[in-house]
Amino acid sequence: MDHRLARLRAALAERGLPALLVSAPANRRYLSGFSGSYGYLLVTADQALLFTDSRYTLRAAQEAPGVAIRQVVNPGRPFPALLAEAAAELGLARIAFEAAHTTVAEHRGLSQALGGGVELVPAEGLVEELREEKDATELATLRRAIAITDAAFTAVLERLTPETTEREAAWMLEVAMRVGGAEAVAFPIIVAAGPNGAQPHASAGDTPLGSGRPIVIDMGARVDGYHADLTRTIVLGEPDARFRELYAIVRDAQARTIAGLRPGLPAHEADALARDYIAAAGYGEHFGHGLGHGVGLNIHEGPSLRRSATGSSAPLRPGMVTSVEPGIYLEGWGGIRIEDLVLITEGGCEVLSQAPKLSL
């Protein structure tokens, strides 16, 4: 974790900030290794203090050996009081806080405890931006999660029948991922048959998968906190002409995009690689969501590959892992979506997902 803290400290120094209070669980875990549900991490130029309660002090000592642990006790020694003690001890006059992850009530409590001697400064995206570029340890974990997801999809695919319901298929996929080594699913599995697939984020229900119609499956394993994300659209039986047409458009849009991904490409231009192709085929209004998103300790994180209202967006950088998931959705008929995770490399990108696709 030392190199991650070093990168954050460099970012703080560039902004003239003496300290950052980290409250987002994923950011706290990224910087310290601590996976408990409650805690705060205070990072200064030469200190890292982790505040948590008795439920997690032993876990914190095991998972975050490189940081000092201070125990929160309610009532008695609540976190705001402990932060005020630490600020006085370290001589802090200003502390940045994660504005996107701090409630009004939490801010009020911290302000009251710190008094007028310590200024709370809102900051956004400091750790999230660092997390966009995965290090070797993160990539190894993501590859494990992706491999488990691929294997589960492949194993379950051959067991599906037209009589299998969406909910049954989702459970089969979850069991296969857990048996394969996942600690949990990355998100509620989507299995959407026929017209249900017109909802990009449909919920699996009791609809049978049926024969000859599109079935959208969106799934992912979580391993050591890191998430995989995979979408395949399948058909049981013989696909009709519309399925063949739309599947080919989405497949080719994704392939065109993957071929064009490279460092320095603005995120909105990556989106346009697929969107312009689908629009030229006459289905632009039926592709409503963004092309892709980063994955890691959160299932949705930076970078965000989507249209930009200003015509500008941050460029892709080596080490980013993002989904590429174009789709077409027709109300009353269903949807087609194909999603792979890719790693941005120095020379382009590497496709990480290896689950089979239809060859029509």
Side-chain angles (χ1 to χ4, degrees), residues 21 32 60-61 78 80 82-83 92 125-126 128 173-174 188 215 251 347 351 355-356:
L21 179 63
S32 70
L82 291 180
L83 180 63
L92 298 174
L126 282 174
E128 286 86 348
L173 292 164
E174 178 169 353
I215 304 164
R251 178 198 61 205
V351 179

Side-chain angles (χ1 to χ4, degrees), residues 83-113:
L83 180 63
E85 290 180 10
E89 173 189 325
L90 300 173
L92 298 174
R94 300 170 70 225
I95 299 176
F97 67 94
E98 295 187 305
H101 307 287
T102 304
T103 68
V104 173
E106 288 169 337
H107 185 273
R108 183 186 305 116
L110 294 175
S111 296
Q112 291 173 349

Side-chain angles (χ1 to χ4, degrees), residues 42 44 46-47 49 70 85-92:
L42 180 66
T44 72
D46 55 7
Q47 297 286 331
L49 307 180
R70 302 200 176 181
E85 290 180 10
E89 173 189 325
L90 300 173
L92 298 174

Side-chain angles (χ1 to χ4, degrees), residues 58-149:
L58 292 178
R59 182 194 296 190
Q62 295 170 349
E63 295 181 336
V67 303
I69 301 167
R70 302 200 176 181
Q71 185 172 329
V72 175
V73 180
N74 286 308
R77 290 174 59 79
F79 169 65
L82 291 180
L83 180 63
E85 290 180 10
E89 173 189 325
L90 300 173
L92 298 174
R94 300 170 70 225
I95 299 176
F97 67 94
E98 295 187 305
H101 307 287
T102 304
T103 68
V104 173
E106 288 169 337
H107 185 273
R108 183 186 305 116
L110 294 175
S111 296
Q112 291 173 349
L114 292 169
V118 180
E119 178 187 7
L120 286 172
V121 182
E124 295 187 22
L126 282 174
V127 184
E128 286 86 348
E129 185 173 342
L130 300 179
R131 285 172 43 208
E132 289 183 357
E133 297 178 32
K134 271 51 181 183
D135 59 33
T137 299
E138 292 180 288
L139 287 174
T141 305
L142 280 168
R143 289 180 188 276
R144 286 171 52 210
I146 293 166
I148 290 169
T149 304

Side-chain angles (χ1 to χ4, degrees), residues 18-33:
L20 175 66
L21 179 63
V22 180
S23 54
N27 292 344
R28 186 180 63 233
R29 183 171 185 172
Y30 175 78
L31 293 167
S32 70

Side-chain angles (χ1 to χ4, degrees), residues 31-45:
L31 293 167
S32 70
F34 174 59
S35 65
S37 65
Y38 173 76
Y40 297 86
L41 182 68
L42 180 66
V43 179
T44 72

